[in-house]
Amino acid sequence: MRSGTGIGTVRRRLHHSDVGGIRNENYETSGLDGLDEPLLGKRDYDDKHSEGKVMEEIWDDERKKEQLHWTLLFSNLIAQWAQWIANLVFGSGSFIVRHLPLLSNTKNRSNPKFIVPTLSPLQEERLRNLQQRLGVPFDGSRVDHQDALKLLWRLAYPNRELPPLKSELWKDMGWQGPDPSTDFRGGGFISLENLIFFAKKYPESFQRLLHKQDGNRADWEYPFAVAGINISFMLTQMLDLQSGKPSSLAGIRFLKLLGEDEMAFDDLYCVAFQMMDAQWLVKRASYMEFNDVLKSTSTQLERELSLEDVSSVKDLPAYNLLRR
């Protein structure tokens, strides 16, 4: 078990161009290198586990870690099996796929594009609304944005006094400095909405991730709030939501989920955050490995989205990791 002591002297920062930049043949990486500000910055954390922890709690942690490992392994095997089937189908030139979009550019195998199916009026409307949300930057001078930040604090720490909008206390939540508004950058206001949604709909999972209560934690943990901004940004890129209509396989599959649930993006965010932490624990990762964990998370999420029987976020194998 690793303990968090004596780490305050480390001062390296990750570059934003690394965030979510998966070099995977099924992952859309356009636009990732265009951002010149790091989203994930330095953050020191104290060890959350006391040396006097009783044996019963230690065994409980081990059981949870083992269960988490097998859950991830099982979902990964299912997703890989589905990907193998998909590759087999796409590899046949004489077979027309009825359930998945066809490749529109077979020459560019490293960045495949798919024919976007005709969207229903409901899907068109929900996609438009989501893209409008994605276009709103965080503005610290707007009262409604300030109020949203205050709401996040109250949800995260219901028994603590609300600090000023600029206070060292915000670092407790995993912001890089005393002013959270400087950390949003490419994440936009939607990343704050995602965190609030997570805290409201899945409060137990939110609190456990916030306070790093699951598994054996690293000496240098990822900062919770800034990690959340990274996940919002990663999902936007993975689902190809910045284009008019998503043309990546993951983006097209997401449109199906959006047709079933207007809040599919927010729910998928919660799954991705929980999945990221699970990957973090299984890999026994530390701060400087955050980007690698985020890439693995994106790859795993793409695989689960490719499963043919997934018609809602709740059908994803990793959804079972969430707790209310």
Side-chain angles (χ1 to χ4, degrees), residues 68-76 275 278-279 282 300 321:
L68 186 64
H69 173 79
W70 285 110
T71 301
L72 270 179
L73 181 62
F74 180 68
S75 64
N76 192 38
M275 181 187 289
Q279 294 268 0
V282 169
Q300 176 66 16
L321 296 172

Side-chain angles (χ1 to χ4, degrees), residues 3 19 75 84 89 105-106 109 116 124 133 151 154 160 162 177 186 190 195-196 207 220 230 233 245 247 276 303:
S3 59
V19 174
S75 64
W84 177 79
V89 171
N105 184 5
T106 57
R109 293 295 182 181
V116 181
E124 291 273 10
R133 290 176 62 196
L151 174 60
R154 294 190 183 98
R160 293 177 60 177
L162 177 68
I190 195 171
L195 283 167
I196 292 173
Q207 289 293 331
W220 196 3
N230 277 265
F233 180 81
K245 289 183 180 180
S247 56
M276 184 277 294
R303 287 172 176 168

Side-chain angles (χ1 to χ4, degrees), residues 133-150:
R133 290 176 62 196
L134 291 169
V136 178
F138 181 86
D139 185 350
S141 66
R142 288 182 53 169
V143 175
D144 56 336
H145 289 199
Q146 294 175 8
D147 290 343
L149 200 55
K150 294 175 182 178

Side-chain angles (χ1 to χ4, degrees), residues 96-107:
I96 299 178
V97 184
R98 290 174 293 180
H99 300 291
L100 293 175
L102 294 176
L103 281 170
S104 61
N105 184 5
T106 57
K107 294 181 180 180

Side-chain angles (χ1 to χ4, degrees), residues 52-289:
K53 193 170 187 180
V54 297
M55 185 63 66
E56 181 180 354
E57 293 175 325
I58 295 176
W59 278 108
D60 186 56
D61 279 348
E62 291 301 318
R63 286 194 297 268
K64 288 179 180 178
K65 183 177 179 181
E66 182 178 2
Q67 181 181 14
L68 186 64
H69 173 79
W70 285 110
T71 301
L72 270 179
L73 181 62
F74 180 68
S75 64
N76 192 38
L77 287 173
I78 294 177
Q80 289 185 14
W81 176 81
Q83 188 67 43
W84 177 79
I85 294 295
N87 290 339
L88 186 64
V89 171
F90 282 130
S92 174
S94 61
F95 190 86
I96 299 178
V97 184
R98 290 174 293 180
H99 300 291
L100 293 175
L102 294 176
L103 281 170
S104 61
N105 184 5
T106 57
K107 294 181 180 180
N108 188 5
R109 293 295 182 181
S110 63
N111 186 20
K113 294 291 183 178
F114 296 84
I115 298 175
V116 181
T118 302
L119 303 183
S120 68
L122 181 61
Q123 287 175 309
E124 291 273 10
E125 179 184 0
R126 290 179 173 177
L127 177 60
R128 183 168 56 252
N129 292 340
L130 176 57
Q131 289 174 331
Q132 288 175 353
R133 290 176 62 196
L134 291 169
V136 178
F138 181 86
D139 185 350
S141 66
R142 288 182 53 169
V143 175
D144 56 336
H145 289 199
Q146 294 175 8
D147 290 343
L149 200 55
K150 294 175 182 178
L151 174 60
L152 178 62
W153 178 275
R154 294 190 183 98
L155 291 169
Y157 306 110
N159 299 320
R160 293 177 60 177
E161 183 179 354
L162 177 68
L165 290 174
K166 293 183 180 181
S167 169
E168 294 292 327
L169 293 176
W170 286 100
K171 293 182 180 180
D172 293 348
M173 194 186 296
W175 302 99
Q176 294 184 80
D179 183 4
S181 65
T182 62
D183 285 335
F184 286 95
R185 299 186 181 95
F189 183 62
I190 195 171
S191 59
L192 178 54
E193 291 181 315
N194 291 154
L195 283 167
I196 292 173
F197 180 90
F198 192 9
K200 285 183 174 180
K201 188 165 183 180
Y202 306 100
E204 182 178 352
S205 285
F206 179 90
Q207 289 293 331
R208 297 190 72 84
L209 294 182
L210 171 64
H211 297 291
K212 306 297 194 299
Q213 293 176 339
D214 292 328
N216 297 331
R217 311 307 304 197
D219 291 341
W220 196 3
E221 277 290 319
Y222 64 83
F224 175 79
V226 180
I229 294 175
N230 277 265
I231 291 171
S232 296
F233 180 81
M234 177 270 288
L235 282 179
T236 301
Q237 298 295 310
M238 185 190 79
L239 300 176
D240 196 24
L241 293 175
Q242 292 181 330
S243 56
K245 289 183 180 180
S247 56
S248 66
L249 178 58
I252 292 173
R253 294 305 298 253
F254 171 73
L255 292 177
K256 180 180 179 181
L257 309 187
L258 192 61
E260 298 295 326
D261 181 9
E262 186 175 10
M263 304 306 293
F265 182 84
D266 301 78
D267 266 318
L268 191 61
Y269 169 88
C270 300
V271 172
F273 209 142
Q274 186 70 67
M275 181 187 289
M276 184 277 294
D277 190 74
Q279 294 268 0
W280 180 273
L281 292 175
V282 169
K283 293 175 180 292
R284 300 182 63 83
S286 187
Y287 177 88
M288 298 308 296
E289 300 167 285

